[in-house]
Amino acid sequence: MTSHVMNTYGRLPFALSHGRGCRVWDTDGREYLDALGGIAVNTLGHAHPKLVPALQDQVGKLIHCSNYYAAPLQEALADELVRLAGLPDSSKVFFCSTGLEANEGALKIARKFGHNKGIARPEVIVYDKAFHGRSIATLSATGNPKVQQGFEPLVEGFVRLPLNDLDAVRAAVQANPNIVAIFLETIQGEGGINPTRAEVLQGLRQICDQHDLLLMLDEVQCGLGRTGRWFAHQWAGIQPDVMPLAKGLGSGVPIGAIVAGPRAADVLQPGNHGTTFGGNPLAMRAGIETLKIMQEDGLLAHAAAMGERLRNGLAAALEGVQGVKEMRGQGLMLGIELDRPCGVLLTQAAEAGLLISVTADTVVRLLPPLIITAAEVDELIAKLAPLMRAFLAQPAA
Ligand SMILES: *Cc1c(COP(=O)(O)O)cnc(C)c1O
């Protein structure tokens, strides 16, 4: 039979039918431990006993209504996001449905911020290996030729620099008066789990303050508790001006948000931006309940502790293995870089009952639900380490 689904993904040959906690089952009844969480989306795992009844309640009341009307659930979720981000009271949030949309909106804020300052052709600093999405503007901001190829001409107005290089930023800002913002993932996800160093984040904050630029931190993947803090930049003790969010915010219900601090909060005015699905009651309820459950169940501390256990356990299980280059990340966002492309591990892991991802060709990426238990972390290690050992014992191609 011909498939009528557009062929844009490399898919494994099984379909998932249902899940519970960190377990999922395929349509043939095979069980998997989920160490991918729908790519950092299923914060609370699957079929969470508190989230499910809340969403059922919301579906029975109101799934969608237009942004023509007052939106109390948007108000509630915006209040909570501003509070958890520790941002001043004058901060504001715009709601959308995906990560790329949050980033697209952030880029619009940067451009209008520039125009408001009299800069007619605003430019934004972006980074090598960055991933910001697949719309025309966000793929242009992305630092991966594979994502861009075939979709030229790219959107102009980006200056690309290497990550963790403050001197390069200072030089670019000195040389180019059109720069209005610095846009980066606090921890790069798709690019291979590459953290921005704390002192670099602090330096970027300083440069942005000195030169009246917006610091825009894409926390679509690394935010929402995954690193053991609400937002990954909080480890560096800084605050962004603009913070796009998505993935984990709704525990699986599509949702995105742009959190804007005081300098960016009022850049977009009535008529400047909008989206039909953004801020709909179902997505808002999913966000509100996710944040509430995370607090009730202490999931930040839990993510930090389980991340430690995972990292230490894997390091011990892979000790002395040739071909393991580096382990990077924080909390339950972990990348293990190997000395060779390792996409085949994804299939081998699935055959062994484990869902993982491989990104940037050579990096095994783990993004389990934040509810993962100690026993499940140990099981993850027990399943994954032998596969990696066997894989690396073969001669590199
Ligand atoms: C996944 C991701 C995006 C894009 O999100 P979509 O919801 O797929 O559009 C943007 N930025 C980062 C850091 C991501 O990980």
Side-chain angles (χ1 to χ4, degrees):
M1 263 254 311
T2 321
S3 169
H4 295 289
V5 176
M6 210 176 274
N7 186 21
T8 61
Y9 301 101
R11 296 176 191 273
L12 293 171
F14 59 88
L16 300 175
S17 80
H18 62 287
R20 178 154 291 266
C22 286
R23 309 266 161 198
V24 284
W25 287 267
D26 71 16
T27 48
D28 293 327
R30 282 175 34 97
E31 182 180 315
Y32 303 84
L33 177 63
D34 186 1
L36 178 60
I39 317 187
V41 167
N42 297 104
T43 304
L44 303 176
H46 305 275
H48 190 282
K50 291 184 190 167
L51 182 64
V52 169
L55 293 181
Q56 281 169 336
D57 172 67
Q58 190 59 48
V59 166
K61 282 180 176 156
L62 193 64
I63 294 174
H64 175 84
C65 69
S66 162
N67 280 306
Y68 283 177
Y69 312 106
L73 294 178
Q74 289 187 25
E75 298 291 342
L77 184 54
D79 287 351
E80 189 63 351
L81 285 171
V82 167
R83 187 179 76 81
L84 297 175
L87 285 167
D89 202 41
S90 55
S91 304
K92 292 193 162 59
V93 182
F94 177 87
F95 289 107
C96 52
S97 309
T98 67
L100 82 77
E101 260 189 287
N103 286 333
E104 187 86 23
L107 291 170
K108 282 181 69 174
I109 290 175
R111 283 195 169 185
K112 187 137 186 300
F113 175 79
H115 282 275
N116 290 350
K117 291 203 289 181
I119 296 172
R121 301 184 68 80
E123 297 186 37
V124 175
I125 290 179
V126 292
Y127 285 87
D128 290 338
K129 298 187 187 172
F131 182 82
H132 297 298
R134 291 171 179 275
S135 68
I136 297 288
T138 58
L139 77 80
S140 300
T142 288
N144 180 349
K146 277 194 211 162
V147 173
Q148 297 172 333
Q149 241 162 44
F151 303 106
E152 299 87 352
L154 301 181
V155 170
E156 58 186 309
F158 295 110
V159 175
R160 193 168 305 282
L161 298 177
L163 197 65
N164 285 319
D165 184 345
L166 278 177
D167 288 338
V169 176
R170 287 191 194 98
V173 170
Q174 288 298 335
N176 186 345
N178 287 336
I179 289 174
V180 295
I182 303 174
F183 183 35
L184 70 157
E185 298 156 82
T186 312
I187 302 173
Q188 288 184 340
E190 304 303 305
I193 314 293
N194 307 311
T196 313
R197 291 201 306 271
E199 69 272 21
V200 172
L201 287 168
Q202 291 153 5
L204 292 175
R205 181 66 271 173
Q206 255 177 8
I207 293 169
C208 286
D209 290 342
Q210 271 164 7
H211 296 270
D212 191 29
L213 314 178
L214 296 179
L215 181 60
M216 309 206 301
L217 296 179
D218 178 349
E219 295 233 3
V220 167
Q221 188 164 149
C222 62
L224 277 320
R226 181 147 295 277
T227 66
R229 296 258 175 131
W230 283 107
F231 305 105
H233 65 264
Q234 290 173 332
W235 289 103
I238 59 148
Q239 290 185 331
D241 298 301
V242 178
M243 176 170 62
L245 300 172
K247 291 197 166 88
L249 180 54
S251 283
V253 177
I255 180 170
I258 311 166
V259 181
R263 296 170 64 226
D266 299 314
V267 170
L268 296 179
Q269 289 292 313
N272 285 157
H273 199 49
T275 168
T276 303
F277 287 122
N280 70 74
L282 179 61
M284 295 302 97
R285 187 75 186 270
I288 291 165
E289 298 292 337
T290 296
L291 297 179
K292 185 166 151 233
I293 295 165
M294 288 174 73
Q295 290 171 81
E296 286 169 359
D297 294 0
L299 289 186
L300 294 199
H302 183 73
M306 292 304 104
E308 276 277 304
R309 188 181 185 95
L310 178 58
R311 197 186 179 111
N312 294 338
L314 261 182
L318 296 172
E319 175 144 29
V321 176
Q322 291 290 315
V324 178
K325 282 180 72 176
E326 196 179 20
M327 268 168 72
R328 294 187 294 262
Q330 186 137 28
L332 289 172
M333 180 176 192
L334 191 64
I336 308 114
E337 184 178 355
L338 307 186
D339 66 352
R340 66 198 75 169
C342 57
V344 65
L345 279 173
L346 196 126
T347 310
Q348 292 178 357
E351 282 163 2
L354 177 67
L355 304 185
I356 62 164
S357 123
V358 170
T359 192
D361 292 335
T362 57
V363 180
V364 174
R365 176 174 53 167
L366 304 175
L367 300 162
L370 304 192
I371 56 159
I372 192 168
T373 64
E376 286 164 340
V377 166
D378 296 347
E379 180 186 337
L380 200 182
I381 296 164
K383 284 193 155 126
L384 182 59
L387 287 177
M388 292 177 69
R389 279 174 170 274
F391 173 73
L392 290 168
Q394 300 160 1

